[in-house]
Amino acid sequence: MSLRPLRPLRPLFGAAAGAALLLTAVAPTVTASAGVLESVTVDAVGRIAPDGTVTLSGTYRCLGSSGPVFVSSSVSQDTAPRTRYGIGGTRAVCDGAEHTWRNTGRPSDTLTTAGTSSPLKAGAAHVEATLMELRPHGIVPLPHVHATQVQDVQLSAV
């Protein structure tokens, strides 16, 4: 088998490889760390009601989407650092402007000898907020993270 038939294609392969390198070097990539372009923030203070309902808030900014985008949030405390509780979700508008988000939810009660109680209490907590898109991909939407933020907050009793 001779390599002679491939010799005329060598310049084309070189040009294609060079163009691919140039395109990847020139095309800007928007990531969670892009800051100004796409971001999500978490307010330093969240609220916890007597029944255990938690409200978290912050701001977000995203540039565009091909599917629905949501701001999701979760919270944990040092009493159970590996257990995160989902606190609602907010539909996001990706128009490049900064918007506020507010998620409210009540984690499942835990059964104790004194009855049921919320697993979360007023005090220090760790919050993670994620700006996530469900991009259409065939018949199954796939998640695409636009931005994420992890923040220590204070849950204030209301």
Side-chain angles (χ1 to χ4, degrees):
M1 177 171 173
S2 171
L3 296 179
R4 285 192 192 267
L6 293 179
R7 285 189 191 221
L9 297 178
R10 281 167 111 182
L12 292 175
F13 289 139
L21 287 173
L22 181 61
L23 285 175
T24 57
V26 173
T29 303
V30 178
T31 64
S33 63
V36 183
L37 299 177
E38 294 195 320
S39 62
V40 62
T41 68
V42 177
D43 291 340
V45 177
R47 298 176 188 247
I48 186 164
D51 70 351
T53 300
V54 174
T55 301
L56 302 171
S57 57
T59 63
Y60 72 89
R61 177 190 317 257
C62 53
L63 292 176
S65 63
S66 57
V69 180
F70 300 90
V71 179
S72 64
S73 58
S74 62
V75 63
S76 66
Q77 288 186 310
D78 284 338
T79 55
R82 294 180 189 216
T83 303
R84 300 193 68 78
Y85 298 96
I87 305 297
T90 302
R91 184 78 187 256
V93 177
C94 289
D95 59 3
E98 185 174 87
H99 299 275
T100 60
W101 63 269
R102 180 178 310 276
N103 291 346
T104 300
R106 185 170 173 227
S108 299
D109 289 339
T110 55
L111 186 57
T112 65
T113 55
T116 60
S117 67
S118 172
L120 299 171
K121 307 292 181 212
H126 313 288
V127 172
E128 181 174 342
T130 303
L131 186 59
M132 187 193 68
E133 176 182 355
L134 295 175
R135 285 190 174 166
H137 185 76
I139 60 171
V140 178
L142 295 178
H144 171 76
V145 175
H146 285 261
T148 188
Q149 174 72 35
V150 176
Q151 169 102 16
D152 289 334
V153 303
Q154 190 70 24
L155 291 181
S156 176
V158 292

